[in-house]
Amino acid sequence: MRVLEITLGTIAESIRTGQAHPTTVLNTLIEAENAGGMVAVRQIERQLSLSAPALQARAHPNSELAQAWLNATRAYLIAQAELKRVA
């Protein structure tokens, strides 16, 4: 899935540089959903749930940012589920 590769590349670059603007995070998740549906966002969450703890275990200097991406992705999934529930 091309969208997953692009999105994970964006996230990896963000973690590598140690920077992520909140707007970039939200736009990245919206673009992933638009291109691949909620399945794509769930795949991103799955990948981050595996990699964030691994980065922390290796004491990566930007492991907190990886965790922030994971938290944002989970919050996005919850918010979208809640929107569908009320609609």
Side-chain angles (χ1 to χ4, degrees):
M1 181 183 270
R2 181 87 175 119
V3 65
L4 189 59
E5 292 174 26
I6 293 169
T7 302
L8 292 176
T10 300
I11 294 169
E13 179 65 16
S14 165
I15 294 169
R16 187 186 67 73
T17 62
Q19 299 178 24
H21 192 277
T23 304
T24 302
V25 174
L26 182 57
N27 286 342
T28 300
L29 296 173
I30 290 170
E31 289 171 7
E33 181 186 7
N34 287 343
M38 290 307 290
V39 171
V41 181
R42 283 188 211 92
Q43 288 176 329
I44 293 164
E45 188 271 339
R46 172 80 174 130
Q47 187 65 37
L48 287 167
S49 70
L50 296 172
S51 58
L55 289 173
Q56 187 173 16
R58 290 186 296 170
H60 189 281
N62 298 325
S63 62
E64 288 181 14
L65 184 56
Q67 185 63 47
W69 271 101
L70 176 58
N71 293 343
T73 304
R74 287 178 173 164
Y76 186 86
L77 286 167
I78 291 168
Q80 293 305 96
E82 188 63 24
L83 283 173
K84 289 180 182 174
R85 187 186 67 80
V86 249

